[in-house]
Amino acid sequence: MCVTAVESRPAGVLGESKRSSHRPFGARVKAFVALTKPRIIELLLITTVPVMFLAEQGVPDLTLVLLTCVGGYLSAGGANALNMYIDRDIDALMDRTSQRPLVTGMVSPRECLVFGISLAVVSTLLFGLTVNWLSAWLSLGALLFYVVVYTMILKRRTSQNIVWGGIAGCMPVLIGWSAVTNSLTWAPVILFLVIFFWTPPHYWPLSMKVKEDYARVGVPMLPVIASNKTVAKQIVIYSWVMVAVSLLLTPLGYTGWFYTLVALVAGGWWLWEAHALQNRAKAEVTGAKLKEMRLFHWSITYVSLLFVAIAVDPFLR
């Protein structure tokens, strides 16, 4: 395994040297919540619940929805905690991660490891015993893929890390569908591909913004090793494929006019922003004028609108 050597104080030393009295209970609770990366999990739930409405073609059992959301939160939270445990060396050197709980010492590495593994076990059992075992194995598979394949193998080795590592973030659509039907079909597979092609053009603009951070710790995100023009070109390519795939649900009979309209309008705006970024990159615009974060913020709005439309569409057909 390729591990980047960095010069810093040993990760977690601050946390292990602090006495409990110096770590207030309330702050400790917030720190453990922060280990789960709640803002990222919000996006995962946005892609899970609407798919359950599509699978049911109406309102799914609300208890099932609650159990799926809780299981999904615990599973993703466990994966995120284990990710922070593995990446604590580089997190200490990056500006955007310098306040994470292991870096500040609010949580020790051992506590984080136990916490992450515990969440993984509890989430798998919760899914298996209250939802179904297909969803449980999909959830566990997503967790292991994120921790082992992305964090431990791909992240520090290849600029394609976020492309293939993003597969873990695609799994919630499969989990949402299987929670309702205890099976899989083409609809969740198409939505899986939508998220797969969405992830790189969603994350690369952020990577462009903070590429100095990644360069400092030797993580080869695409913007670190390629020019802005090359990254923007890749963003445009992935964006076109993403929009095209998102429109496959309707001809296959899974969605109707409302979803199609939202997918066309939101997708069209996405492509406008992607091409605008490419044009600025071609003109060798740099700094704040590159406006790469416009696409990053829009990408979150896009996926939210698309999946809300998935939930609403069954009621308008």
Side-chain angles (χ1 to χ4, degrees):
M1 184 172 302
C2 177
V3 178
T4 304
V6 293
E7 183 70 26
S8 70
R9 64 173 173 79
V13 166
L14 179 60
E16 291 168 347
S17 63
K18 278 191 172 184
R19 294 181 179 275
S20 299
S21 59
H22 295 158
R23 297 186 291 175
F25 177 76
R28 291 264 289 162
V29 171
K30 290 181 181 179
F32 277 99
V33 172
L35 288 177
T36 67
K37 300 182 184 178
R39 294 190 66 182
I40 293 178
I41 293 176
E42 287 176 15
L43 280 175
L44 298 180
L45 296 181
I46 284 173
T47 60
T48 302
V49 176
V51 174
M52 299 180 74
F53 279 75
L54 182 63
E56 187 67 38
Q57 285 295 301
V59 180
D61 181 88
L62 296 182
T63 300
L64 180 65
V65 172
L66 177 62
L67 291 169
T68 303
C69 288
V70 172
Y73 180 89
L74 296 177
S75 179
N80 290 329
L82 293 172
N83 167 268
M84 288 194 196
Y85 173 80
I86 295 166
D87 279 350
R88 64 193 187 278
D89 59 334
I90 60 176
D91 282 351
L93 300 180
M94 296 176 63
D95 292 338
R96 62 184 291 264
T97 57
S98 61
Q99 294 304 307
R100 286 182 172 175
L102 268 71
V103 179
T104 63
M106 192 57 65
V107 176
S108 73
R110 182 177 181 180
E111 289 172 331
C112 180
L113 180 61
V114 172
F115 181 67
I117 293 175
S118 298
L119 290 184
V121 172
V122 171
S123 64
T124 302
L125 291 176
L126 178 65
F127 265 121
L129 297 176
T130 66
V131 180
N132 57 59
W133 284 105
L134 175 57
S135 297
W137 299 133
L138 288 171
S139 175
L140 181 60
L143 183 150
L144 292 175
F145 195 94
Y146 182 69
V147 174
V148 178
V149 178
Y150 172 67
T151 306
M152 298 179 67
I153 299 176
L154 296 177
K155 185 173 181 177
R156 307 192 195 196
R157 285 186 168 187
T158 173
S159 63
Q160 295 298 299
N161 47 20
I162 201 66
V163 176
W164 300 107
I167 288 175
C170 305
M171 297 297 282
V173 297
L174 302 184
I175 295 168
W177 187 278
S178 67
V180 173
T181 67
N182 199 20
S183 65
L184 295 174
T185 186
W186 280 111
V189 172
I190 290 171
L191 292 172
F192 176 99
L193 291 174
V194 170
I195 300 300
F196 177 80
F197 290 110
W198 170 85
T199 301
H202 158 70
Y203 198 80
W204 279 335
L206 175 62
S207 300
M208 294 169 77
K209 180 74 172 179
V210 299
K211 64 182 178 181
E212 289 80 8
D213 253 2
Y214 285 118
R216 187 183 309 125
V217 296
V219 175
M221 289 293 180
L222 184 61
V224 172
I225 67 167
S227 67
N228 286 342
K229 287 188 288 186
T230 299
V231 177
K233 180 180 179 180
Q234 290 294 310
I235 286 173
V236 167
I237 292 172
Y238 274 90
S239 298
W240 274 100
V241 176
M242 175 197 71
V243 173
V245 172
S246 73
L247 296 173
L248 291 177
L249 286 174
T250 301
L252 291 177
Y254 292 108
T255 53
W257 69 269
F258 181 75
Y259 168 81
T260 305
L261 178 62
V262 173
L264 283 171
V265 173
W269 187 261
W270 175 296
L271 293 174
W272 175 276
E273 290 288 350
H275 279 280
L277 176 60
Q278 184 182 36
N279 290 337
R280 292 191 292 273
K282 284 182 177 179
E284 298 186 350
V285 174
T286 58
K289 292 184 179 180
L290 184 58
K291 299 178 181 178
E292 65 277 276
M293 293 300 286
R294 281 175 59 98
L295 184 59
F296 173 77
H297 292 304
W298 170 247
S299 68
I300 298 172
T301 303
Y302 168 83
V303 80
S304 300
L305 290 173
L306 193 74
F307 277 82
V308 167
I310 286 172
V312 172
D313 188 84
F315 301 98
L316 301 178
R317 298 183 68 186

